[in-house]
Amino acid sequence: GAVVSQHPSRVICKSGTSVKIECRSLDFQATTMFWYRQFPKQSLMLMATSNEGSKATYEQGVEKDKFLINHASLTLSTLTVTSAHPEDSSFYICSATYGYNEQFFGPGTRLTVL
Amino acid sequence: AQSVTQPDIHITVSEGASLELRCNYSYGATPYLFWYVQSPGQGLQLLLKYFSGDTLVQGIKGFEAEFKRSQSSFNLRKPSVHWSDAAEYFCAVGASGAGSYQLTFGKGTKLSVIP
C-alpha cells in the first residue's frame, strides 16, 4: 500500500516552454502533497506544500509564478514549470501523506531544459 | 528552525562489515526523526522512524537507529552490510505543520560497499 507515482519519469524540453509533472497517490487519499527539488549529489529541498483544495504554500525563495502547483483532488497534484530555463534542470520529487503520517515518495522526474 | 547534519558525505565499507551512519539534529521541540534510502535516480524509501517510546527503533532491511536526546543524535546502524545496501542515505527531522509533518533533510551520506 501507500504507492505514489509520478509522470513523466524523464522529460526534456526547450528553453522557454512549460512542463507539467503529475504526482498521484494510487491507493490512498492524500490530504497533503509536497514537492521537492534535488540537485545532483545534494539533498532534497522542499519547494512547496499543497493541501487538497487550497493554494500551495511555497518555501522562501521559490517563485510561485514559475512553479505552479495544483492539488485539485485527493489523489492528484501537478507541478508546472513555466517558461523553463536550463537552470531549472533538476530532479523533482513529490511525496504524499494523510494526516500526521509518514510521507510516501514518488520515484521522481528528471527534467532537462535545453 | 530545524536542521539536520550528516557529517559523513561518503562512507565505504566491506560487505559483511558493520555500519553506522551519523545524524545530528536541531529542533526546539520533541523531534520526529526518519531515515530514508535513495537508490540512483529513484525516489526515497523509508527505512525507519522515531516518534516516541523506545529509543531503539527497528526498521526494514535489518537497519536500526537509536535516538539519543542528550546528544541530539539519531544514528543508523546495521550489523552486516550487503552489497545491495549501496545507496544514498538521508536523515530527516519532521516538524509539525498545518495538518501534516514537514521534513527537513540532511545532505545525505553515500554508502559504497566493497565486495
Side-chain angles (χ1 to χ4, degrees):
Chain A
V3 178
V4 175
S5 70
Q6 278 185 246
H7 178 80
S9 57
R10 289 178 175 269
V11 58
I12 300 173
C13 69
K14 293 182 179 180
S15 185
T17 61
S18 294
V19 174
K20 180 183 285 188
I21 302 170
E22 292 186 348
C23 176
R24 293 181 184 273
S25 57
L26 300 185
D27 51 4
F28 67 99
Q29 294 187 321
T31 51
T32 305
M33 287 186 169
F34 302 87
W35 287 95
Y36 296 86
R37 184 173 181 176
Q38 185 179 31
F39 289 106
K41 301 186 186 301
Q42 294 192 26
S43 188
L44 282 76
M45 300 300 296
L46 179 64
M47 299 175 66
T49 302
S50 91
N51 293 298
E52 186 267 338
S54 303
K55 289 184 177 180
T57 301
Y58 290 81
E59 295 300 300
Q60 193 171 10
V62 177
E63 299 176 59
K64 62 181 181 180
D65 294 330
K66 181 166 187 62
F67 298 99
L68 301 178
I69 292 172
N70 183 278
H71 191 166
S73 77
L74 284 171
T75 59
L76 173 65
S77 177
T78 59
L79 168 67
T80 301
V81 183
T82 62
S83 187
H85 288 95
E87 58 265 30
D88 299 323
S89 298
S90 190
F91 193 54
Y92 293 87
I93 303 177
C94 74
S95 71
T97 190
Y98 50 98
Y100 288 93
N101 285 290
E102 66 179 90
Q103 293 182 26
F104 302 98
F105 285 82
T109 297
R110 174 75 59 193
L111 170 63
T112 303
V113 184
L114 303 177
Chain B
Q2 62 273 16
S3 66
V4 177
T5 301
Q6 292 180 247
D8 304 305
I9 297 173
H10 190 184
I11 284 182
T12 299
V13 299
S14 297
E15 190 168 17
S18 63
L19 171 71
E20 182 170 32
L21 301 182
R22 296 183 291 166
C23 172
N24 292 96
Y25 68 89
S26 174
Y27 186 54
T30 301
Y32 301 102
L33 298 162
F34 305 80
W35 273 101
Y36 288 88
V37 61
Q38 183 182 35
S39 297
Q42 302 293 316
L44 274 68
Q45 181 182 25
L46 179 68
L47 288 175
L48 47 79
K49 60 187 177 186
Y50 171 78
F51 277 18
S52 64
D54 193 345
T55 56
L56 184 61
V57 181
Q58 302 297 321
I60 63 171
K61 303 184 180 185
F63 286 93
E64 67 177 27
E66 186 170 12
F67 170 58
K68 294 185 177 180
R69 184 186 298 274
S70 62
Q71 299 177 21
S72 298
S73 69
F74 189 56
N75 294 348
L76 181 71
R77 300 192 294 248
K78 185 170 185 178
S80 178
V81 170
H82 189 262
W83 64 266
S84 60
D85 293 324
E88 189 90 23
Y89 291 79
F90 292 96
C91 180
V93 61
S96 180
S100 64
Y101 294 115
Q102 279 196 347
L103 295 178
T104 299
F105 287 89
K107 292 185 181 298
T109 297
K110 181 179 180 180
L111 174 65
S112 296
V113 180
I114 300 173

